[in-house]
Amino acid sequence: MHAIFRFYRYINTLSLDIAAGAVVSAQLFARIFNVQIKTYGLMALGLTVWIIYTLDHLRDAKKIKHSASTERHRFHQQNFKVLVCFLVIAVLVDALTIFFIRRQVLAWGLVLWAIVVLYLTVQQFLRFLKEFFIAGLYTWGVLLLSITVTSIDLGVHHTLLIVQFAIAAWINLVLFSWFDHVFDERDEQNSFVTIMGNRTTIFFLYGLFAASALITLVQVMVFTISGPVMILAFMIIILLIIFLLRRSLAKNDLYRLLGDAVFLMPAIYLIWPQ
């Protein structure tokens, strides 16, 4: 059991579970929008998410002149050159996939890449909006493979599902920055918490949890209790549990392992008999 835990921690440090979560979540929305995603599309999504997260971590690790306070940044400092090599390979493979994905997906994917490059360029000026933009880009990437090619008309029900997913991603990022705020301050890294303060962040998280609960209530009362609605609701509930048990889960970065694993939960719906 200890070996499995250490292995998953390694996967988490490398952001591989985040990339896998994006692929699984994309499959969830593909089922919602009745779209069959090509393998190359999923490969491009997984690689793109990993590239963005790894590039962001490497840049932060490079900016920190001393030994980083967090395990993730220390790992990227210590393995900087190796990770850069893997990053270059991932970019080249990702570039090759554009010859195989759908034209609509490619067009919007290029727009997304342009926004990502812009985000990485101006990230230092975003300050407390950093988590908001990352959550938005992550949600866009997850939706890109299905919403650009679906023949289904986008309704209020679909919009609420998208908003709820985006809120889950936003909560996840703000929650992590709240756990890491002492280390971020030590390493001079900006986040929502370091700018807005601890007390404001707690109230803000409660606000996001309340908004998600309201959306779920509307979906249940006005529309139907569907699998995707329940999956997204459970994702938020797990994030709420992490928040409420924050003192217990802060040890050994358990909050991060559980928080990132939340986005693998749609796999339950995908393997459930329809």
Side-chain angles (χ1 to χ4, degrees), residues 80 125 140 149 250:
F80 189 87
F125 304 109
W140 186 350
V149 295

Side-chain angles (χ1 to χ4, degrees), residues 59-218:
R59 190 177 67 165
D60 288 343
K62 188 73 172 178
K63 286 168 57 179
I64 302 171
K65 302 305 179 183
H66 53 274
S67 179
S69 301
T70 63
E71 181 181 344
R72 183 185 299 271
H73 284 139
R74 280 197 305 274
F75 179 87
H76 284 75
Q77 283 179 331
Q78 296 164 358
N79 301 278
F80 189 87
K81 291 183 179 179
V82 175
L83 287 170
V84 167
C85 290
F86 277 107
L87 190 65
V88 171
I89 294 172
V91 170
L92 293 175
V93 175
D94 200 18
L96 288 174
T97 61
I98 69 174
F99 295 103
F100 303 97
I101 60 179
R102 293 182 173 99
R103 186 169 299 178
Q104 305 97 305
V105 175
L106 173 60
W108 283 104
L110 292 175
V111 173
L112 178 60
W113 259 114
I115 294 175
V116 167
V117 172
L118 179 62
Y119 159 74
L120 292 172
T121 303
V122 303
Q123 181 195 35
Q124 58 182 324
F125 304 109
L126 297 177
R127 298 172 71 81
F128 72 93
L129 293 174
K130 173 183 174 181
E131 289 81 4
F132 171 77
F133 279 101
I134 296 176
L137 292 172
Y138 184 81
T139 302
W140 186 350
V142 165
L143 290 169
L144 189 65
L145 297 175
S146 56
I147 202 170
T148 55
V149 295
T150 184
S151 58
I152 294 177
D153 293 329
L154 194 67
V156 176
H157 175 59
H158 301 110
T159 303
L160 290 176
L161 288 172
I162 293 170
V163 171
Q164 191 161 13
F165 181 83
I167 289 176
W170 198 4
I171 289 174
N172 175 273
L173 291 164
V174 175
L175 192 58
F176 284 5
S177 67
W178 182 72
F179 272 104
D180 289 341
H181 75 277
V182 174
F183 303 124
D184 286 338
E185 289 171 353
R186 189 181 304 165
D187 294 338
E188 299 181 349
Q189 300 289 311
N190 286 329
S191 70
F192 184 91
V193 190
T194 60
I195 301 301
M196 303 303 293
N198 188 58
R199 184 179 178 83
T200 300
T201 301
I202 291 176
F203 279 113
F204 183 71
L205 283 169
Y206 276 124
L208 288 178
F209 283 122
S212 179
L214 180 61
I215 290 173
T216 301
L217 186 62
V218 170

